[in-house]
Structure formats: structure tokens, C-alpha cells
Amino acid sequence: MIKVALLGHGVVGTGVVEVIKNKAEQLFEQTGEHIEVKSILVRHDYDVDYKEKFVYSFDEIVNDEEISIVVEAIGGTDPAYNYVKSSLLAGKSVVTSNKELVAKHGFELMNIAEEKNINFIFEAAVGGAIPVIHGVRNCLKANNVHSIAGILNGTTNYILTKMIDEKQSFDIALKAAQELGYAEADPSADVDGIDTCRKICILADIIYGNHILPENVHTEGIRNVRIEDVDILKMVGGAIKLLGVAKAVDDDKMFIMTAPHVVFNQGILYAANDVFNAAQLETDNAGLMAFYGRGAGSLPTASAVVNDIVECVCADGTLYPAWGQEKPELVADYKEVPMQFYVNVAENAEKVEEIFPTAEIIYIKETTAFITEKITENQLTEKLTGFTVNSVLRVL
Ligand code: HSE
């Protein structure tokens, strides 16, 4: 019998209890062990039919020698970081869906797990149900990954989809996402790109081998996305998506960023709507590949958490070595990496053609919208001196 403790009993925690209960037989067949949720750390008492599992002090879990796996589903870093670290130091493997914790403290916590020959794993922290972490960790060993671009936040993808397809206001769409259990407790983490940034950092840590701290990554959210640009882009087969992007650039540097991007109507990043997440990778041997699925919600997230529990049960020691320590100098200056931009200005097409002779003009009316050739952001800013700029978006 494997005894598991849950820290937290919110959207993710309740889903984990349900999946372990509903899949008991299947999990036994896969592991040869009965998996039981023994204790659930909660702050208050309330009615559920397994209330006898509730405990109110973390000490009851960390000191319980029967518990070999701790699932952290509290979110945030305080008190999650101390609880997870103490659990690992006590020799208990930890499974978490907490992207903030992994993005900030993953290097240290993975090292503790390695020293103890146990596991600290976190598939559900990126892409909810989608096995993107397993994919990049386990299945691309014969490849170099040139780039990864992902829709990694269900809430913002849901909001953008509702704004684009149903002309819903930002506030109404956000409220619906909160009611569906997709949004963070503080939705600023979703709409300001912070959550996506944490997730692209975790993927970049795995792919490129060194810890990247979110505070070193340029991050923009979706608050300034204008419906005028959504409509213009729709006419030419484009959509605005909040992407986390990472790619290797010259001299061992990495370009990494979170920002709304224009994507055109080929491929998974254009097609992924609502709460769905998607990640697209360019690799040398495997070529282009994609992951797609539900990026948030109780059962999809629990699906990934419970799979990680199964991995811990079946593991003979640490499954995945820690990535390397943080090196801020690995992150390239994003303003110096060439890319295409969508620009909307108040000036007429003649003026645009004069300054941007190679640009593709896609809209001429009360404003002019165009797509530049590949240039750096510093070059773009210089060329736009004297223009009245309504918006600038990066094009994937
Ligand atoms: N708030 C997150 C999202 C939850 O919307 O994607 C899953 O990480």
C-alpha cells in the first residue's frame, strides 16, 4: 500500500482525490500497489464524505512515516516551498502542479531529491493534462530543439477566444474563466503573462539545461490587446495568442520571452482555442512537432498529477537529474534578436512605404497596418520615430 498526502484541497486537490478513487483498479494494475490518499492538509473544516482524512498541521504529514509521496497543490511559494523542501528532506517524493514553485526553486528542490534518491516531479505545472514535460524530457534525446513556442495559459487563451469569436468583453470572459476553475487566485498572474512566463522558463530549463529565473525574462500580458487589431488580423487569417517562446540563438545564448504574438492560420498555435494549450517545437531530427490538450481545470490537471504519482511509485530512485544552475548571462537581449512585427500606425500607406519599403501592408483605412521584414526591436523603434503608433505585436 502506498500512502499519499495532499497539501491543498482546491481545484487540483479535489481532482486528485477523485481520479485516485475512480481509477483505483487501473492504478493497482499499473503499479502493483494500492494507492491511498491518507491525509489532506486543509485550513478549515467543511463537509466532504472523506473528511476523516483532513489534517490541519503540516507536521502531521511530514512526521508520518507511512506517507511516502506528498502532492503539493496549494500554489504560490509560501508556505508551499517550505512544505515541499521539508517533505523532500524527510525522504518523501513530491509531485506538484505549482509552476511558480518550480520556476523559482526547481534547481534547489530537484537537487535535494537527487541527494535523497527520490523524486520531485511536476508534469501538471506546464500545460495541465498535456505530457509536454515528459515529451521534451524523455522523447527528444536524439534531437536538438531549435525553438519552442507555446500557448501555456488556459485562462488567457479562453479570454482571447471569447473576445475574438464572441466579441465578449475582457471582464466577462475573465469571470467565466474564474468560474470554470481555470484562473489563478490572483488573475493578474494569468492576464499579465506571469503564469505563461513561469511555464516557458520551466520548459526552457529542461530543453536548454540551465535554470532561467522568470524575473530575467521579458513578459507582456494581454491587457493591451486591441479589438481593432484582432479584427484586422482576422481578415488576413491571423490571430493574436499569448505565447511563451524560447529558442537557441548565437553564442550559446537563448532568446526567451512571453508576449502576445500574431500567428497565422496554419498550425496548432492558431487552432488552439478556449482553455486548450499547445506547444510547437522545431527540432533537428524529428522536425516540427506539437503538443495539444487541456491546459487547466480540475480533472485534466489531476490526470497529470496522478500519472506523476504512478511514476514515483514505480521509480527505482531519481528519475530525472536536476538541470544546471542559473546563469542570467544565457538570456539574450530580446531587443537585439531579429523577428517580424505587426505594426498599426495612424499615418497613411505612403508614409509607411517610405520608411518600411519591404513591409507587407495588410490594412489601409483610418489606420495603416503592416508586417515588417525581420528586424530587431531596437531597429523598429528607431524607424517608428515620428509615427503615431497604435500597436506593435510580434509575429511568430
Ligand atoms: N491559471 C492557469 C491557466 C492554470 O489558466 O492556465 C493552469 O496552470
Side-chain angles (χ1 to χ4, degrees):
M1 171 79 80
I2 298 291
K3 304 220 174 187
V4 173
L6 267 182
L7 311 181
H9 190 243
V11 173
V12 179
T14 49
V16 171
V17 175
E18 189 177 335
V19 172
I20 289 182
K21 185 170 163 230
N22 292 345
K23 298 287 177 196
E25 217 169 290
Q26 184 172 324
L27 297 177
F28 176 73
E29 278 165 20
Q30 283 164 353
T31 61
E33 298 276 1
H34 292 287
I35 297 174
E36 185 205 342
V37 176
K38 182 179 179 191
S39 310
I40 304 173
L41 181 67
V42 291
R43 274 183 297 197
H44 323 281
D45 187 17
Y46 48 89
D47 262 342
V48 286
D49 60 9
Y50 46 85
K51 214 170 124 171
E52 72 287 353
K53 296 180 189 293
F54 283 0
V55 298
Y56 306 93
S57 153
F58 173 67
D59 288 349
E60 281 192 56
I61 289 173
V62 76
N63 295 328
D64 185 337
E65 287 184 2
E66 278 188 356
I67 291 168
S68 58
I69 300 171
V70 172
V71 174
E72 185 276 309
I74 304 173
T77 56
D78 182 19
Y81 167 70
N82 283 333
Y83 289 175
V84 167
K85 189 169 170 179
S86 305
S87 300
L88 292 168
L89 288 169
K92 302 177 193 307
S93 284
V94 174
V95 171
T96 184
S97 57
N98 186 336
K99 45 278 157 114
E100 183 177 358
L101 179 73
V102 180
K104 277 193 188 152
H105 300 289
F107 173 73
E108 181 194 4
L109 297 171
M110 290 176 87
N111 272 292
I112 297 173
E114 222 177 323
E115 277 159 28
K116 296 275 178 186
N117 201 27
I118 52 174
N119 285 288
F120 172 62
I121 50 178
F122 39 82
E123 180 61 65
V126 182
I130 315 170
V132 60
I133 289 184
H134 276 75
V136 297
R137 252 180 179 162
N138 294 343
C139 309
L140 293 174
K141 292 184 178 125
N143 287 269
N144 288 332
V145 177
H146 298 313
S147 71
I148 179 164
I151 296 171
L152 302 173
N153 181 270
T155 301
T156 44
N157 206 33
Y158 181 89
I159 293 171
L160 287 171
T161 305
K162 295 292 163 199
M163 287 171 73
I164 295 167
D165 292 351
E166 296 174 26
K167 302 222 178 280
Q168 271 188 17
S169 75
F170 177 87
D171 291 337
I172 287 179
L174 172 60
K175 196 156 176 278
Q178 285 170 317
E179 281 163 9
L180 288 164
Y182 303 152
E184 297 300 303
D186 170 9
S188 148
D190 296 301
V191 299
D192 295 322
I194 298 161
D195 182 72
T196 296
C197 176
R198 292 170 179 148
K199 292 168 175 170
I200 193 65
C201 283
I202 295 170
L203 292 174
D205 295 341
I206 295 169
I207 294 170
Y208 299 111
N210 281 90
H211 197 104
I212 305 290
L213 281 174
E215 58 253 41
N216 295 327
V217 174
H218 179 72
T219 300
E220 297 170 21
I222 63 165
R223 284 186 205 269
N224 297 329
V225 169
R226 299 181 336 135
I227 204 74
E228 293 88 336
D229 297 314
V230 167
D231 289 343
I232 290 170
L233 284 159
K234 211 168 169 181
M235 289 188 280
V236 293
I240 301 174
K241 297 286 184 178
L242 180 63
L243 299 184
V245 180
K247 66 179 175 190
V249 289
D250 301 342
D251 304 330
D252 294 334
K253 285 212 183 267
M254 178 199 313
F255 168 79
I256 179 164
M257 158 183 291
T258 295
H261 280 70
V262 177
V263 295
F264 284 100
N265 60 5
Q266 297 130 343
I268 195 71
L269 296 176
Y270 179 86
N273 285 326
D274 292 316
V275 72
F276 283 88
N277 282 194
Q280 178 176 290
L281 281 76
E282 288 172 313
T283 69
D284 52 0
N285 288 323
L288 192 67
M289 68 165 58
F291 296 84
Y292 171 78
R294 287 189 180 274
S298 183
L299 295 180
T301 309
S303 154
V305 169
V306 176
N307 194 78
D308 275 358
I309 293 174
V310 169
E311 281 218 325
C312 289
V313 173
C314 298
D316 180 16
T318 305
L319 291 164
Y320 308 105
W323 49 62
Q325 67 184 4
E326 204 233 338
K327 287 190 189 153
E329 67 274 16
L330 288 181
V331 177
D333 177 358
Y334 71 95
K335 290 189 174 175
E336 284 300 331
V337 176
M339 66 188 80
Q340 288 185 284
F341 293 89
Y342 162 92
V343 186
N344 186 313
V345 292
E347 284 71 16
N348 62 22
E350 225 171 40
K351 169 85 174 161
V352 169
E353 277 167 346
E354 183 195 328
I355 307 295
F356 294 90
T358 56
E360 185 191 349
I361 296 181
I362 59 170
Y363 181 79
I364 310 174
K365 258 194 174 170
E366 67 289 359
T367 66
T368 308
F370 59 98
I371 310 272
T372 69
E373 64 178 343
K374 276 192 175 180
I375 53 174
T376 68
E377 194 160 330
N378 282 334
Q379 289 166 333
L380 178 71
T381 307
E382 203 180 312
K383 277 170 169 282
L384 285 173
T385 311
F387 278 92
T388 304
V389 180
N390 297 316
S391 46
V392 172
L393 292 161
R394 296 162 185 93
V395 178
L396 188 70

